[in-house]
Amino acid sequence: MTIAGANRVEMAEPSESGRFGDYGGRYVPEALVPACAEVEAAFRAAWADPDFVARYRGLLADYAGRPTPVTECHRLSAELGVRLLLKREDLTHTGSHKINNVIGQGLLTVEMGKQRVIAETGAGQHGVATATAAALLGLQCVIYMGEVDTERQELNVFRMRLLGAEVVPVRSGSRTLKDAVNEAMRAWVSEVETTHYCIGSVMGPHPFPWMVRELQRVIGDEAREQCRTLLGGSDPDLVVACVGGGSNSAGTFAGFVGTSARLVGVEAAGGSAVGRGVPGVLHGMRSLLLQDEAGQILEAESISAGLDYPGIGPEHAYLAGAGRAEYASAGDDEVLDALSLLARTEGIIPALEPAHALAWLVRATRDGTVPGGSTVLLTMSGRGDKDASQVMSLLGDRVGLG
Ligand SMILES: *Cc1c(COP(=O)(O)O)cnc(C)c1O
C-alpha cells in the first residue's frame, strides 16, 4: 500500500450509530439502550471537559506511574537486525495497560453519580484492575467470572477480594469469559440506575469500543512523541502490539495511524478472529468472531488467558478490511521462545500476551517480512509476574528448573 493510501484511513469517531464501517453498533436488549446512551453522553461531555481530563491525567501520573518509558533494546536489536523500541506498559501500577481504562471509567462512574461498578473478567486481570480503581475511588465493585476461571485463577480471585470486590462465579454455558460477559450484561440491565458496567477492552456496544480506545490512546500518543525524540524526528517503520479484545493495540495504533508506519496486531493462533473469524454479533457488537458452521461461538484457545477471546474489537475488523492495519498470529511454542529471548537479552520478562507480538517480530525479521534495519515500536502491554508459575511449568525443563 502507498503511504498516501495508508494515511487516508483514520481512527476517527464511529458513526452516530457507533459503526466503524460495517462493524460495531449497539446490539443490546431494549432495556440497555438508554444506559449505553447515558454512558456515551457522559463520556462525550467528560472527554471535552478540561477538569475531567486533568483528573484522569493526574491519576495516570501520580497513581499509575505515567508516562511509561520507551526502552531501546540494544542487545535484542543486534540479534534481530532491527532497531527495537518497547513501550513499557509493564511498568504501570498493577503491571499492564488495563489501568488506563479502569481509571477513566472509574472517574466516569463518579461523574455519572453512580456508586457501583461491575465488570467481567476471564483470567482475572481486568477484574483486578477494576477492583483497584474501585478501591481508589471508593466505589462498590462486583466482578463476574466464569466458574472454571475462578478455579484456574485462584490467586486473582483472592486479589480482587483483598481489594474489596465481590467475585461472582458464573455457572452458565462453558463457565468461562463469554458467559461472564453475558451475566454482567444481564446484571447491568437490572442495576443500571446505580451501576456502571466497566467493559475491559475495545468491545461491546457503542460507545465502549470508541471510549476504551480513547482511554488507551495515551499509550500511542506518548509513544509517538518518545519515538520522535529517539529517532531524531522520525516515526518508526513498524508498530506492533498484541490483540486480545484489542485495547492496547488500538491505543497504540491511535498514536500512529496518521503516520506512514506499518501497523501489525498479533493474535494468539488459537484465537485468531481476523484470520479465521467471520462477521457476526456477540456481546452487543458486530465484529469478526470465531464461529462454527451453525454460527455457534467457538472457544478461543491459547496459553495466554488475556488473548483467548473469540472475537476482536470492531474497529480492528474495520482497520483490517480497510487495509490500514495487518493482523497476524503467533503459536504457543514461538511465544515461549520469544519470552525467554527477551528475558535473556534485555532483562525484561514479558507477560505471555505481548510475547505474542515479539514472537511474530522474531519470525518476521527471520523470514524477511520485516526488512533488516527497520525501526520497530512494540507495545510491552504487561509484565510477566502473573504468568511466572505457568511459564515455569511450560519452560522449566529448558531453563534447568524443571
Ligand atoms: C488483558 C491483556 C491483554 C489483552 O487485552 P487487549 O484489550 O487486547 O489489550 C494484553 N496484554 C496484557 C498484559 C493483558 O493483561
Side-chain angles (χ1 to χ4, degrees), residues 2-325:
T2 64
I3 287 168
N7 281 325
R8 243 176 271 133
V9 178
E10 290 168 44
M11 294 175 76
E13 259 190 49
S15 72
E16 216 168 298
S17 59
R19 288 182 175 272
F20 301 95
D22 293 335
Y23 301 103
R26 186 178 278 165
Y27 295 87
V28 291
E30 206 154 358
L32 280 184
V33 172
C36 291
E38 183 193 11
V39 174
E40 182 188 347
F43 179 67
R44 205 174 280 285
W47 213 224
D49 172 8
D51 284 348
F52 180 91
V53 173
R55 262 179 285 147
Y56 166 70
R57 288 184 185 272
L59 287 178
L60 289 187
D62 304 335
Y63 184 75
R66 303 206 73 89
T68 58
V70 163
T71 299
E72 177 150 11
C73 296
H74 295 283
R75 277 164 39 76
L76 184 53
S77 293
E79 187 147 341
L80 298 180
V82 295
R83 188 166 175 196
L84 176 61
L85 309 174
L86 299 182
K87 178 59 174 164
R88 301 293 305 280
E89 296 303 294
D90 58 317
L91 294 179
T92 57
H93 176 50
T94 71
S96 87
H97 68 291
K98 287 187 170 71
I99 195 77
N100 306 325
N101 175 37
V102 294
I103 284 181
Q105 290 198 54
L107 286 172
L108 193 67
T109 306
V110 175
E111 197 76 6
M112 289 187 291
K114 299 185 178 186
Q115 305 82 38
R116 214 167 155 265
V117 280
I118 59 172
E120 81 293 339
T121 198
Q125 296 305 116
H126 176 56
V128 171
T130 305
T132 300
L136 173 71
L137 299 170
L139 299 165
Q140 284 174 43
C141 180
V142 179
I143 304 295
Y144 293 88
M145 187 170 187
E147 190 177 43
V148 171
D149 291 329
T150 60
E151 288 158 9
R152 284 195 288 221
Q153 303 289 339
E154 256 184 329
L155 191 57
N156 276 337
V157 172
F158 177 69
R159 282 197 182 101
M160 289 182 253
R161 292 187 171 141
L162 201 55
L163 290 159
E166 182 189 338
V167 180
V168 178
V170 174
R171 300 197 168 86
S172 54
S174 56
R175 298 179 293 138
T176 56
L177 176 61
K178 71 180 159 63
D179 312 292
V181 178
N182 289 333
E183 198 57 40
M185 289 246 183
R186 258 196 294 276
W188 196 30
V189 174
S190 61
E191 300 154 352
V192 70
E193 295 293 312
T194 57
T195 301
H196 175 63
Y197 178 16
C198 181
I199 292 184
S201 189
V202 285
M203 44 168 268
H206 180 55
F208 288 93
W210 166 59
M211 175 169 74
V212 176
R213 178 251 282 170
E214 286 300 290
L215 294 172
Q216 293 290 4
R217 74 176 303 133
V218 63
I219 304 172
D221 287 345
E222 282 178 10
R224 175 141 194 235
E225 285 305 305
Q226 292 164 315
C227 285
R228 290 184 149 249
T229 304
L230 282 161
L231 302 175
S234 301
D235 296 306
D237 300 316
L238 172 66
V239 173
V240 196
C242 65
V243 179
S247 67
N248 85 85
S249 51
T252 304
F253 292 175
F256 292 94
V257 72
T259 75
S260 57
R262 178 181 173 197
L263 308 179
V264 178
V266 184
E267 299 186 273
S272 169
V274 174
R276 296 193 289 120
V278 288
V281 171
L282 179 72
H283 300 149
M285 64 182 180
R286 183 168 191 278
S287 194
L288 294 171
L289 309 168
L290 295 177
Q291 302 171 61
D292 68 14
E293 275 148 33
Q296 291 295 313
I297 302 301
L298 297 172
E299 291 281 301
E301 275 169 33
S302 161
I303 49 170
S304 152
L307 299 187
D308 61 9
Y309 182 67
I312 188 170
E315 191 170 26
H316 287 292
Y318 166 71
L319 290 171
R324 179 60 188 98

